[in-house]
Amino acid sequence: VLTHATIAHITAEPVSCDLQAKGAIAIDMGKIAWCGGMIELPDAYRNWPTENLEDRLVTPALIDCHSHIVFGGNRASEFEMRLEGASYQEISRAGGGIVSTVKATRAASEEALLADALTRVDALIREGVATLEIKSGYGLDVETELKMLRVARRIGQVRNIHVRTSFLGAHTVPPEYSGRGDDYLDQVCIPALRLAAEAGLADAVDGFCEDIAFSPAQIALVFDVARQIGLPVKLHAEQLSNLGGAKLAAQYGALSADHLEYLDEDGVQVMAEENMIAVLLPGAFYTLRETQLPPIDLFRKYRVPMAVATDCNPGSSPLASLLIAMNMACTLFRLTPDEALAGVTVNAARALGIAGRGNIAPGMQADLAIWNAAHPSELSYRIGFNCLHRRIWSGT
Ligand SMILES: [Zn+2]
């Protein structure tokens, strides 16, 4: 039994966060058995072992619902080139861009990919993250896509973290299929998806719908297969232009559409009707120095729940801090700190289609974050300061 806790109860739509002072949380077999005020603690728990939290804030453990955290190499030299004024084309000619990550990921052993990813995963764990979504999408050949997903699964085995995987074969067209996106989908992406599903390596199917990646019609080919094999879908949509990706995703009952800077009101309405989650990725917005803001007021107006994630990846969002993503969501997108917290807990769980995580209530998994803080706004307010006291994963 955790005692003297300041418990954050988060409700979604509209978001609010109610604090309960002098709270207690009883944990049994990895789950929350009871929570409420200390004085109301049922007699049954009164002689259980206790831990006095000295009025610290307790939130659900954090959930990062969108990451590309498994990849080979890094793109620091490209970062430098960009700062020296190199254009996208010049970087591309020098072997940079996503192609360089694909090359490095293909060349890396499973062990090397795992060891490298764990350095970033551990940074998230230190911030109280207990559930992490990980995408494939830097292999773009059958074997490497499966290798990435195996590494993602292994992360969940070697660390105390709940991992959800997304197959992202439709990330970009690899150089060997340049100008032949349909052939790539037909010969590589879809066969790899079927194999990943057979091997139990994919929990969901994702795609990148953009001029520089795949058209809505091409994404539909992949989503048709996802539907056949019974996997939920989600989509990188409306990041750089409005191609109607979120609407397409809605037709497939998608869990979420992600990025969404260029989404229009029509698209927001469709997302609301289909109960989709809007996943906001301020790290990419920041890194790319974008200026088009996602339609936050429209998400509020139509009650589309918003999640916030790191989008941790080597190119557009080399961010391994969910706390900084929360700060960026507030400062850049004007989310309230309560919305940011809901975005990395209850709404992030919904974006992953998982029940039983993301809130503090009886029956939920006892994944908790205990902070050296008095109020949830402190989590979003500080930059580069981690006030986690202790993380509880499945009750311990
Ligand atoms: Zn992404």
Side-chain angles (χ1 to χ4, degrees), residues 98-117:
I98 191 170
V99 171
S100 73
T101 298
V102 171
K103 222 170 135 186
T105 306
R106 286 176 179 176
S109 70
E110 209 167 302
E111 290 306 319
L113 283 177
L114 176 66
D116 192 39

Side-chain angles (χ1 to χ4, degrees), residues 9 24-28 31-36 45 356-357 359-366:
H9 293 286
I25 302 171
I27 299 170
D28 190 16
K31 296 223 161 123
I32 296 171
W34 185 88
C35 73
Y45 303 112
R357 284 184 163 85
N359 221 329
I360 301 177
M364 304 290 278
Q365 198 73 21

Side-chain angles (χ1 to χ4, degrees), residues 49-184:
T50 59
E51 179 179 339
N52 183 333
L53 299 184
E54 297 169 338
D55 297 322
R56 288 188 179 90
L57 174 71
V58 182
T59 69
L62 307 188
I63 298 172
D64 189 356
C65 68
H66 181 137
S67 95
H68 310 250
I69 210 162
V70 173
F71 55 82
N74 71 62
R75 308 244 285 271
S77 62
E78 194 179 307
F79 174 67
E80 257 185 302
M81 282 176 73
R82 251 200 330 258
L83 290 172
E84 284 159 9
S87 70
Y88 182 81
Q89 284 80 2
E90 285 166 327
I91 289 168
S92 207
R93 272 199 301 275
I98 191 170
V99 171
S100 73
T101 298
V102 171
K103 222 170 135 186
T105 306
R106 286 176 179 176
S109 70
E110 209 167 302
E111 290 306 319
L113 283 177
L114 176 66
D116 192 39
L118 283 176
T119 61
R120 297 179 286 272
V121 171
D122 286 341
L124 291 174
I125 288 174
R126 281 194 296 273
E127 286 188 342
V129 173
T131 301
L132 171 62
E133 187 258 14
I134 303 176
K135 304 176 194 298
S136 69
Y138 293 123
L140 310 180
D141 63 33
V142 173
E143 184 39 45
T144 314
E145 285 295 302
L146 297 177
K147 177 171 75 176
M148 288 184 70
L149 293 169
R150 282 196 300 271
V151 170
R153 283 280 188 251
R154 283 179 67 192
I155 288 170
Q157 289 155 6
V158 301
R159 289 292 187 273
N160 287 337
I161 193 163
H162 183 62
V163 169
R164 302 291 290 179
T165 57
S166 298
F167 175 83
L168 180 55
H171 195 188
T172 190
V173 179
E176 62 272 24
Y177 278 90
S178 181
R180 297 188 296 129
D182 285 343
D183 288 345
Y184 165 72

Side-chain angles (χ1 to χ4, degrees), residues 21-358:
K22 301 288 175 215
I25 302 171
I27 299 170
D28 190 16
M29 307 288 283
K31 296 223 161 123
I32 296 171
W34 185 88
C35 73
M38 280 171 67
I39 48 167
E40 293 139 11
L41 185 70
D43 288 342
Y45 303 112
R46 294 232 172 232
N47 57 356
W48 284 27
T50 59
E51 179 179 339
N52 183 333
L53 299 184
E54 297 169 338
D55 297 322
R56 288 188 179 90
L57 174 71
V58 182
T59 69
L62 307 188
I63 298 172
D64 189 356
C65 68
H66 181 137
S67 95
H68 310 250
I69 210 162
V70 173
F71 55 82
N74 71 62
R75 308 244 285 271
S77 62
E78 194 179 307
F79 174 67
E80 257 185 302
M81 282 176 73
R82 251 200 330 258
L83 290 172
E84 284 159 9
S87 70
Y88 182 81
Q89 284 80 2
E90 285 166 327
I91 289 168
S92 207
R93 272 199 301 275
I98 191 170
V99 171
S100 73
T101 298
V102 171
K103 222 170 135 186
T105 306
R106 286 176 179 176
S109 70
E110 209 167 302
E111 290 306 319
L113 283 177
L114 176 66
D116 192 39
L118 283 176
T119 61
R120 297 179 286 272
V121 171
D122 286 341
L124 291 174
I125 288 174
R126 281 194 296 273
E127 286 188 342
V129 173
T131 301
L132 171 62
E133 187 258 14
I134 303 176
K135 304 176 194 298
S136 69
Y138 293 123
L140 310 180
D141 63 33
V142 173
E143 184 39 45
T144 314
E145 285 295 302
L146 297 177
K147 177 171 75 176
M148 288 184 70
L149 293 169
R150 282 196 300 271
V151 170
R153 283 280 188 251
R154 283 179 67 192
I155 288 170
Q157 289 155 6
V158 301
R159 289 292 187 273
N160 287 337
I161 193 163
H162 183 62
V163 169
R164 302 291 290 179
T165 57
S166 298
F167 175 83
L168 180 55
H171 195 188
T172 190
V173 179
E176 62 272 24
Y177 278 90
S178 181
R180 297 188 296 129
D182 285 343
D183 288 345
Y184 165 72
L185 292 179
D186 193 45
Q187 293 164 19
V188 178
C189 179
I190 288 170
L193 168 55
R194 290 188 188 282
L195 287 170
E198 272 167 35
L201 289 171
D203 300 319
V205 176
D206 198 347
F208 186 20
C209 185
E210 200 59 66
D211 284 336
I212 55 168
F214 297 95
S215 68
Q218 289 175 318
I219 294 293
L221 297 172
V222 180
F223 282 3
D224 283 338
V225 177
R227 183 180 271 168
Q228 274 171 28
I229 57 185
L231 288 176
V233 301
K234 57 178 81 175
L235 190 62
H236 290 66
E238 274 73 83
Q239 181 187 5
L240 307 169
S241 63
N242 187 351
L243 296 186
K247 279 190 192 169
L248 172 86
Q251 286 166 22
Y252 288 84
L255 293 167
S256 69
D258 304 33
H259 287 293
L260 300 171
E261 277 82 346
Y262 285 83
L263 187 67
D264 58 19
E265 183 156 4
D266 220 28
V268 176
Q269 258 177 295
V270 170
M271 286 184 67
E273 282 156 20
E274 294 301 318
N275 294 313
M276 288 167 65
I277 309 296
V279 178
L280 306 175
L281 304 167
F285 179 93
Y286 165 87
T287 302
L288 299 173
R289 305 183 80 211
E290 294 289 341
T291 52
Q292 171 83 25
L293 289 163
I296 305 298
D297 283 334
L298 291 173
F299 292 140
R300 289 182 183 130
K301 178 176 167 190
Y302 291 98
R303 301 243 170 129
V304 175
M306 294 179 278
V308 174
T310 61
D311 193 18
C312 179
N313 78 66
S316 63
S317 187
L319 173 63
S321 167
L322 196 52
L323 290 175
I324 291 183
M326 290 168 73
N327 173 270
M328 287 178 171
C330 293
T331 301
L332 300 174
F333 295 168
R334 314 313 285 171
L335 261 64
T336 66
D338 283 357
E339 286 173 329
L341 181 60
V344 296
T345 54
V346 57
N347 289 341
R350 291 181 62 184
L352 295 178
I354 52 176
R357 284 184 163 85

